[in-house]
Amino acid sequence: MSESGDIAVKSRKSYENLATNGGIDNTFSMQYEASSLSNQTKQWIAIREDRKNLVLWKRPFTTLQYFVKELFINFYEYGTKLLQHQKVVLTSLLFIALSVVIYRYEGPHQKYVGRIEKEFLRCAYWIGLGVLSSVGLGTGLHTFVLYLGPHIAAVTLAAYECNSLDFPQPPYPDEIICPEGDYSNIVITIFMIMAKVRVEAFMWGMGTALGELPPYFMAKAARLSGQEHDDEDMKEFEELLQLKKGKGEQSYYYKAKQFVQKLVERVGFFGILACASIPNPLFDLAGITCGHFLVPFWTFFGATLIGKAVIKMHIQKLFVIVAFNERQVHDLVSKMKFIPYIGKYLHAPLEEFLAKQKANLHRKHGTPGVSEGTWISWVYEKLVILMILYYVLSIVNSMAQSHHKRLNKRQRTSSKVATD
């Protein structure tokens, strides 16, 4: 039996299970009665349910098989698209070759090359983390919590301990060491710390703005082609359009989505800016709305970039800097011992951890730091590993489900051709 046939059988079984268990109301978010649904809608619900079950911890072999196939198909499709833009590819290869020659050739320009390389890698690192945080691959890697937030917190704590932000480079930003000299007459302010981490925060915000582009291009391409799009977000967007016309019962979740859609559709640039300037898990819908209504690219991307890389990042920086103020941290640690049962187990390790961090700040450049050796560091390292591992697994699941969509679309196309 072919893969398309397997999907049809599994989808039919999924719908039967949903119907017998009363799961249609849970699956179909607008809470329609099963009897009021058309056969096409019932089939779509069953296919979507079958697709959601295509994960490694439920169907590992099928998921891995679909993932590998989708990976090779993506490589082939993107490679074919690149070959269609031969001038751009040739220009890029010439630029890369020229850059390699300049980088390898010895001369007085090497001091500038080294500086450019350092800044380029620094910016590319934070932009890449920003893209991973918002791009539609799996669940999204929470790089602010894992990387940027801890970096801002470390700079904040070091600034108050060293009474300076003039950390020697190198090792900053990889490591933070207090500068030599007397800085007792300097007063550290929040704005000074915000300026110190401005480049990292802006580049991370720019990366998050770049990661929001795929939903925009997807919706724009679907609107211009006039073809039905099988993506889940597009289906939800179509449901919102029906809700807007007064069809169906609205949940609080859909009311929030509908508010975002109306704000972007009616206000335009400033609506996109408002949605991008606050932590907003529904921002994907703003990109889909802008693409569907053919909002110009620079209007969407400009508002998204300003909102995420400037306004929202200053809010997030301010929150972290205020939260990790030296007095706040010490007050919090000292009060932890009053927590019933677990307070005594948290207070001592945290005090030891902070003491070792301060000792590391005052060491000489080139000397090894004091080994942390606390369970806090161990737990944080394992948490980072687990989150990255879960992100990788979610990418595998997402690509496998994308292949499921591809097969289902191929099956529907074949059925339509056979009917015609």
Side-chain angles (χ1 to χ4, degrees):
M1 185 179 293
S2 64
E3 290 179 322
S4 300
D6 290 341
I7 289 179
V9 173
K10 291 174 182 176
S11 300
R12 185 168 62 252
K13 290 181 178 179
S14 296
Y15 175 71
E16 291 171 357
N17 292 333
L18 286 169
T20 55
N21 296 330
I24 288 182
D25 286 346
N26 296 327
T27 305
F28 202 52
S29 53
M30 289 190 294
Q31 300 178 352
Y32 287 117
E33 291 294 333
S35 59
S36 67
L37 298 177
S38 65
N39 290 332
Q40 185 179 4
T41 304
K42 292 176 181 178
Q43 185 180 8
W44 174 69
I45 295 172
I47 290 172
R48 187 170 68 170
E49 186 68 17
D50 183 57
R51 185 180 303 148
K52 287 181 179 179
N53 290 327
L54 192 63
V55 291
L56 283 168
W57 41 90
K58 290 184 179 180
R59 297 161 60 186
F61 297 108
T62 305
T63 303
L64 286 174
Q65 179 186 7
Y66 280 20
F67 164 72
V68 173
K69 290 182 178 180
E70 185 68 13
L71 189 64
F72 279 107
I73 290 173
N74 285 338
F75 277 131
Y76 175 77
E77 289 180 346
Y78 290 130
T80 304
K81 290 179 180 179
L82 277 178
L83 292 177
Q84 293 175 356
H85 301 83
Q86 296 180 2
K87 292 183 179 179
V88 176
V89 174
L90 182 60
T91 304
S92 302
L93 290 175
L94 289 175
F95 176 76
I96 293 173
L98 181 61
S99 301
V100 171
V101 171
I102 295 174
Y103 181 78
R104 294 291 183 182
Y105 182 74
E106 296 294 334
H109 66 283
Q110 282 297 328
K111 59 180 180 180
Y112 303 107
V113 170
R115 190 178 305 172
I116 293 173
E117 178 190 14
K118 179 182 176 182
E119 291 302 317
F120 173 79
L121 293 176
R122 176 189 179 192
C123 293
Y125 173 77
W126 289 110
I127 290 175
L129 289 177
V131 170
L132 291 176
S133 180
S134 62
V135 74
L137 291 174
T139 58
L141 186 62
H142 303 288
T143 51
F144 182 86
V145 176
L146 294 179
Y147 296 99
L148 183 59
H151 174 70
I152 297 174
V155 172
T156 302
L157 293 172
Y160 288 113
E161 175 64 22
C162 304
N163 206 50
S164 172
L165 286 162
D166 191 21
F167 308 130
Q169 293 184 342
Y172 182 82
D174 299 325
E175 295 180 70
I176 302 178
I177 296 177
C178 291
E180 297 179 356
D182 184 16
Y183 294 91
S184 57
N185 58 341
I186 296 178
V187 178
I188 300 297
T189 64
I190 291 177
F191 297 104
M192 293 171 63
I193 302 174
M194 292 177 73
K196 185 68 175 178
V197 296
R198 181 177 294 136
V199 173
E200 294 90 336
F202 179 81
M203 292 301 164
W204 186 86
M206 181 187 294
T208 61
L210 291 172
E212 300 292 353
L213 292 179
Y216 168 82
F217 286 122
M218 174 197 70
K220 188 174 183 179
R223 178 67 184 274
L224 291 174
S225 64
Q227 298 177 354
E228 178 187 359
H229 206 284
D230 193 40
D231 191 88
E232 299 293 338
D233 292 329
M234 285 298 297
K235 290 291 185 183
E236 290 188 1
F237 178 74
E238 291 168 5
E239 291 174 11
L240 285 176
L241 292 179
Q242 295 299 320
L243 287 173
K244 187 178 178 182
K245 298 175 182 177
K247 298 180 181 179
E249 182 182 349
Q250 299 184 32
S251 64
Y252 289 109
Y253 177 71
Y254 267 76
K255 286 180 180 178
K257 282 198 165 190
Q258 195 172 9
F259 173 76
V260 172
Q261 181 204 344
K262 286 181 178 179
L263 184 64
V264 172
E265 181 183 348
R266 295 179 180 180
V267 185
F269 178 89
F270 292 102
I272 303 168
L273 183 65
C275 291
S277 299
I278 57 174
N280 184 3
L282 304 179
F283 190 79
D284 279 352
L285 186 63
I288 293 175
T289 304
C290 292
H292 179 79
F293 291 106
L294 303 181
V295 173
F297 169 77
W298 288 112
T299 300
F300 169 72
F301 184 67
T304 304
L305 182 64
I306 295 171
K308 287 183 171 290
V310 179
I311 300 176
K312 191 180 83 168
M313 277 316 307
H314 276 82
I315 296 173
Q316 290 177 297
K317 281 193 298 181
L318 183 63
F319 175 80
V320 175
I321 292 170
V322 170
F324 284 88
N325 178 283
E326 187 179 28
R327 182 179 299 175
Q328 297 262 37
V329 172
H330 282 287
D331 287 347
L332 179 64
V333 173
S334 62
K335 290 176 181 178
M336 276 189 175
K337 59 186 176 183
F338 299 109
I339 300 176
Y341 304 112
I342 63 172
K344 60 182 179 180
Y345 300 106
L346 292 175
H347 176 68
L350 281 172
E351 274 199 336
E352 180 186 359
F353 176 78
L354 289 175
K356 289 181 177 180
Q357 292 301 311
K358 289 182 178 180
N360 285 333
L361 292 173
H362 294 285
R363 74 183 190 276
K364 297 291 183 181
H365 177 47
T367 58
V370 179
S371 176
E372 295 173 3
T374 62
W375 62 267
I376 298 174
S377 303
W378 185 88
V379 169
Y380 179 74
E381 290 174 0
K382 299 302 179 287
L383 177 64
V384 171
I385 293 173
L386 286 176
M387 291 187 72
I388 293 175
L389 180 61
Y390 181 74
Y391 176 64
V392 173
L393 294 179
S394 69
I395 291 177
V396 174
N397 293 336
S398 178
M399 292 188 67
Q401 291 169 6
S402 296
H403 191 70
H404 185 282
K405 292 180 188 179
R406 187 187 299 275
L407 294 176
N408 177 251
K409 186 176 181 181
R410 187 186 304 166
Q411 179 196 8
R412 288 191 287 110
T413 304
S414 302
S415 301
K416 186 176 180 182
V417 171
T419 303
D420 294 340

Tab-separated table of all heavy atoms in Angstrom, residues 102-130:
chain	number	residue	atom	x	y	z
A	102	ILE	N	41.512	37.881	1.051
A	102	ILE	CA	41.875	39.009	1.928
A	102	ILE	C	42.171	38.515	3.337
A	102	ILE	O	43.106	38.992	4.004
A	102	ILE	CB	40.750	40.056	1.941
A	102	ILE	CG1	40.600	40.680	0.550
A	102	ILE	CG2	41.018	41.138	2.978
A	102	ILE	CD1	39.428	41.627	0.424
A	103	TYR	N	41.411	37.547	3.795
A	103	TYR	CA	41.584	37.025	5.152
A	103	TYR	C	42.907	36.279	5.287
A	103	TYR	O	43.581	36.364	6.332
A	103	TYR	CB	40.411	36.102	5.480
A	103	TYR	CG	40.460	35.511	6.860
A	103	TYR	CD1	40.092	36.264	7.977
A	103	TYR	CD2	40.853	34.191	7.055
A	103	TYR	CE1	40.135	35.710	9.245
A	103	TYR	CE2	40.887	33.629	8.311
A	103	TYR	CZ	40.531	34.392	9.406
A	103	TYR	OH	40.580	33.845	10.663
A	104	ARG	N	43.308	35.541	4.242
A	104	ARG	CA	44.524	34.729	4.294
A	104	ARG	C	45.783	35.525	3.965
A	104	ARG	O	46.879	35.188	4.425
A	104	ARG	CB	44.401	33.558	3.314
A	104	ARG	CG	43.322	32.553	3.677
A	104	ARG	CD	43.676	31.779	4.929
A	104	ARG	NE	42.680	30.765	5.255
A	104	ARG	CZ	42.764	29.986	6.325
A	104	ARG	NH1	43.773	30.101	7.153
A	104	ARG	NH2	41.806	29.092	6.552
A	105	TYR	N	45.651	36.573	3.168
A	105	TYR	CA	46.828	37.318	2.697
A	105	TYR	C	47.400	38.170	3.826
A	105	TYR	O	46.696	38.940	4.480
A	105	TYR	CB	46.440	38.197	1.514
A	105	TYR	CG	47.594	38.968	0.924
A	105	TYR	CD1	48.568	38.329	0.154
A	105	TYR	CD2	47.724	40.333	1.139
A	105	TYR	CE1	49.626	39.025	-0.390
A	105	TYR	CE2	48.783	41.044	0.605
A	105	TYR	CZ	49.728	40.388	-0.170
A	105	TYR	OH	50.784	41.092	-0.699
A	106	GLU	N	48.695	38.004	4.086
A	106	GLU	CA	49.356	38.760	5.146
A	106	GLU	C	49.584	40.202	4.701
A	106	GLU	O	49.875	40.483	3.544
A	106	GLU	CB	50.693	38.111	5.505
A	106	GLU	CG	50.567	36.716	6.102
A	106	GLU	CD	49.881	36.730	7.456
A	106	GLU	OE1	49.939	37.780	8.141
A	106	GLU	OE2	49.279	35.717	7.832
A	107	GLY	N	49.463	41.111	5.655
A	107	GLY	CA	49.689	42.519	5.355
A	107	GLY	C	49.203	43.403	6.491
A	107	GLY	O	48.660	42.917	7.499
A	108	PRO	N	49.366	44.716	6.332
A	108	PRO	CA	48.952	45.640	7.395
A	108	PRO	C	47.443	45.680	7.611
A	108	PRO	O	46.970	46.191	8.628
A	108	PRO	CB	49.460	47.006	6.883
A	108	PRO	CG	49.609	46.837	5.409
A	108	PRO	CD	49.996	45.413	5.194
A	109	HIS	N	46.680	45.147	6.653
A	109	HIS	CA	45.225	45.158	6.777
A	109	HIS	C	44.718	44.100	7.760
A	109	HIS	O	43.539	44.119	8.110
A	109	HIS	CB	44.580	44.913	5.405
A	109	HIS	CG	44.853	43.550	4.855
A	109	HIS	ND1	46.060	43.211	4.283
A	109	HIS	CD2	44.088	42.423	4.824
A	109	HIS	CE1	46.022	41.945	3.905
A	109	HIS	NE2	44.838	41.445	4.215
A	110	GLN	N	45.618	43.219	8.203
A	110	GLN	CA	45.165	42.109	9.042
A	110	GLN	C	44.591	42.575	10.383
A	110	GLN	O	43.685	41.935	10.924
A	110	GLN	CB	46.318	41.129	9.289
A	110	GLN	CG	46.616	40.199	8.129
A	110	GLN	CD	45.454	39.279	7.816
A	110	GLN	OE1	44.696	38.888	8.699
A	110	GLN	NE2	45.287	38.946	6.537
A	111	LYS	N	45.075	43.705	10.895
A	111	LYS	CA	44.541	44.176	12.177
A	111	LYS	C	43.074	44.608	12.033
A	111	LYS	O	42.261	44.428	12.944
A	111	LYS	CB	45.378	45.318	12.729
A	111	LYS	CG	45.476	46.541	11.827
A	111	LYS	CD	46.335	47.626	12.476
A	111	LYS	CE	46.440	48.857	11.573
A	111	LYS	NZ	47.278	49.913	12.198
A	112	TYR	N	42.739	45.152	10.866
A	112	TYR	CA	41.345	45.510	10.611
A	112	TYR	C	40.504	44.270	10.325
A	112	TYR	O	39.336	44.196	10.721
A	112	TYR	CB	41.253	46.479	9.430
A	112	TYR	CG	42.059	47.741	9.629
A	112	TYR	CD1	43.244	47.953	8.934
A	112	TYR	CD2	41.627	48.724	10.517
A	112	TYR	CE1	43.992	49.103	9.113
A	112	TYR	CE2	42.374	49.886	10.704
A	112	TYR	CZ	43.548	50.067	9.996
A	112	TYR	OH	44.282	51.211	10.178
A	113	VAL	N	41.119	43.300	9.630
A	113	VAL	CA	40.412	42.056	9.335
A	113	VAL	C	40.046	41.331	10.630
A	113	VAL	O	38.934	40.819	10.784
A	113	VAL	CB	41.258	41.142	8.427
A	113	VAL	CG1	40.635	39.755	8.307
A	113	VAL	CG2	41.407	41.758	7.041
A	114	GLY	N	41.003	41.296	11.567
A	114	GLY	CA	40.736	40.635	12.839
A	114	GLY	C	39.611	41.308	13.604
A	114	GLY	O	38.757	40.632	14.201
A	115	ARG	N	39.582	42.636	13.573
A	115	ARG	CA	38.520	43.361	14.272
A	115	ARG	C	37.155	43.113	13.619
A	115	ARG	O	36.159	42.896	14.301
A	115	ARG	CB	38.846	44.859	14.259
A	115	ARG	CG	37.945	45.710	15.149
A	115	ARG	CD	38.371	47.163	15.097
A	115	ARG	NE	39.772	47.307	15.442
A	115	ARG	CZ	40.450	48.450	15.319
A	115	ARG	NH1	39.853	49.520	14.833
A	115	ARG	NH2	41.724	48.499	15.661
A	116	ILE	N	37.135	43.148	12.273
A	116	ILE	CA	35.881	42.901	11.551
A	116	ILE	C	35.402	41.477	11.800
A	116	ILE	O	34.205	41.233	11.996
A	116	ILE	CB	36.075	43.160	10.040
A	116	ILE	CG1	36.340	44.642	9.793
A	116	ILE	CG2	34.861	42.684	9.255
A	116	ILE	CD1	36.715	44.963	8.359
A	117	GLU	N	36.334	40.518	11.783
A	117	GLU	CA	35.961	39.129	12.027
A	117	GLU	C	35.340	38.951	13.407
A	117	GLU	O	34.316	38.274	13.564
A	117	GLU	CB	37.191	38.231	11.904
A	117	GLU	CG	36.908	36.763	12.187
A	117	GLU	CD	38.178	35.934	12.301
A	117	GLU	OE1	39.278	36.530	12.431
A	117	GLU	OE2	38.077	34.689	12.261
A	118	LYS	N	35.943	39.581	14.395
A	118	LYS	CA	35.440	39.466	15.760
A	118	LYS	C	34.021	40.025	15.880
A	118	LYS	O	33.128	39.381	16.452
A	118	LYS	CB	36.379	40.192	16.719
A	118	LYS	CG	35.931	40.145	18.174
A	118	LYS	CD	36.883	40.923	19.057
A	118	LYS	CE	36.388	40.956	20.491
A	118	LYS	NZ	37.277	41.761	21.359
A	119	GLU	N	33.787	41.214	15.313
A	119	GLU	CA	32.475	41.832	15.396
A	119	GLU	C	31.443	41.065	14.568
A	119	GLU	O	30.281	40.940	14.969
A	119	GLU	CB	32.541	43.290	14.937
A	119	GLU	CG	33.303	44.198	15.882
A	119	GLU	CD	32.717	44.206	17.282
A	119	GLU	OE1	31.470	44.252	17.412
A	119	GLU	OE2	33.486	44.134	18.255
A	120	PHE	N	31.885	40.557	13.414
A	120	PHE	CA	30.968	39.794	12.564
A	120	PHE	C	30.501	38.521	13.273
A	120	PHE	O	29.303	38.213	13.287
A	120	PHE	CB	31.653	39.439	11.239
A	120	PHE	CG	30.840	38.521	10.371
A	120	PHE	CD1	29.793	39.012	9.607
A	120	PHE	CD2	31.113	37.155	10.319
A	120	PHE	CE1	29.024	38.158	8.822
A	120	PHE	CE2	30.357	36.298	9.532
A	120	PHE	CZ	29.308	36.810	8.782
A	121	LEU	N	31.434	37.786	13.866
A	121	LEU	CA	31.070	36.559	14.569
A	121	LEU	C	30.196	36.859	15.787
A	121	LEU	O	29.249	36.109	16.089
A	121	LEU	CB	32.334	35.809	15.000
A	121	LEU	CG	33.183	35.231	13.866
A	121	LEU	CD1	34.443	34.592	14.418
A	121	LEU	CD2	32.385	34.212	13.052
A	122	ARG	N	30.489	37.951	16.450
A	122	ARG	CA	29.684	38.341	17.616
A	122	ARG	C	28.240	38.643	17.204
A	122	ARG	O	27.293	38.153	17.816
A	122	ARG	CB	30.324	39.561	18.275
A	122	ARG	CG	29.552	40.139	19.459
A	122	ARG	CD	30.175	41.457	19.855
A	122	ARG	NE	29.497	42.111	20.951
A	122	ARG	CZ	29.713	43.367	21.310
A	122	ARG	NH1	30.625	44.091	20.666
A	122	ARG	NH2	29.050	43.910	22.313
A	123	CYS	N	28.088	39.434	16.142
A	123	CYS	CA	26.747	39.789	15.679
A	123	CYS	C	26.017	38.564	15.112
A	123	CYS	O	24.827	38.363	15.384
A	123	CYS	CB	26.826	40.884	14.619
A	123	CYS	SG	27.424	42.473	15.254
A	124	ALA	N	26.736	37.743	14.344
A	124	ALA	CA	26.114	36.556	13.751
A	124	ALA	C	25.648	35.586	14.839
A	124	ALA	O	24.594	34.942	14.699
A	124	ALA	CB	27.089	35.865	12.808
A	125	TYR	N	26.410	35.484	15.920
A	125	TYR	CA	26.051	34.594	17.028
A	125	TYR	C	24.706	34.994	17.633
A	125	TYR	O	23.801	34.167	17.791
A	125	TYR	CB	27.158	34.626	18.082
A	125	TYR	CG	26.848	33.878	19.349
A	125	TYR	CD1	26.918	32.495	19.392
A	125	TYR	CD2	26.486	34.563	20.508
A	125	TYR	CE1	26.635	31.802	20.567
A	125	TYR	CE2	26.207	33.885	21.687
A	125	TYR	CZ	26.285	32.509	21.717
A	125	TYR	OH	25.999	31.831	22.879
A	126	TRP	N	24.550	36.287	17.952
A	126	TRP	CA	23.324	36.746	18.601
A	126	TRP	C	22.149	36.780	17.626
A	126	TRP	O	21.014	36.496	18.006
A	126	TRP	CB	23.540	38.116	19.245
A	126	TRP	CG	24.424	38.048	20.444
A	126	TRP	CD1	25.694	38.530	20.567
A	126	TRP	CD2	24.119	37.432	21.704
A	126	TRP	NE1	26.198	38.265	21.806
A	126	TRP	CE2	25.251	37.597	22.536
A	126	TRP	CE3	23.005	36.782	22.206
A	126	TRP	CZ2	25.284	37.116	23.841
A	126	TRP	CZ3	23.038	36.298	23.504
A	126	TRP	CH2	24.170	36.465	24.311
A	127	ILE	N	22.408	37.124	16.353
A	127	ILE	CA	21.331	37.085	15.363
A	127	ILE	C	20.833	35.654	15.189
A	127	ILE	O	19.626	35.393	15.118
A	127	ILE	CB	21.809	37.660	14.014
A	127	ILE	CG1	22.019	39.179	14.130
A	127	ILE	CG2	20.801	37.366	12.908
A	127	ILE	CD1	22.611	39.805	12.889
A	128	GLY	N	21.772	34.701	15.131
A	128	GLY	CA	21.395	33.298	14.997
A	128	GLY	C	20.560	32.818	16.166
A	128	GLY	O	19.558	32.107	15.979
A	129	LEU	N	20.924	33.225	17.386
A	129	LEU	CA	20.136	32.837	18.557
A	129	LEU	C	18.740	33.454	18.504
A	129	LEU	O	17.756	32.825	18.898
A	129	LEU	CB	20.848	33.263	19.842
A	129	LEU	CG	22.107	32.481	20.216
A	129	LEU	CD1	22.747	33.070	21.464
A	129	LEU	CD2	21.788	31.006	20.441
A	130	GLY	N	18.657	34.691	18.007
A	130	GLY	CA	17.352	35.330	17.870
A	130	GLY	C	16.469	34.611	16.861
A	130	GLY	O	15.270	34.421	17.092
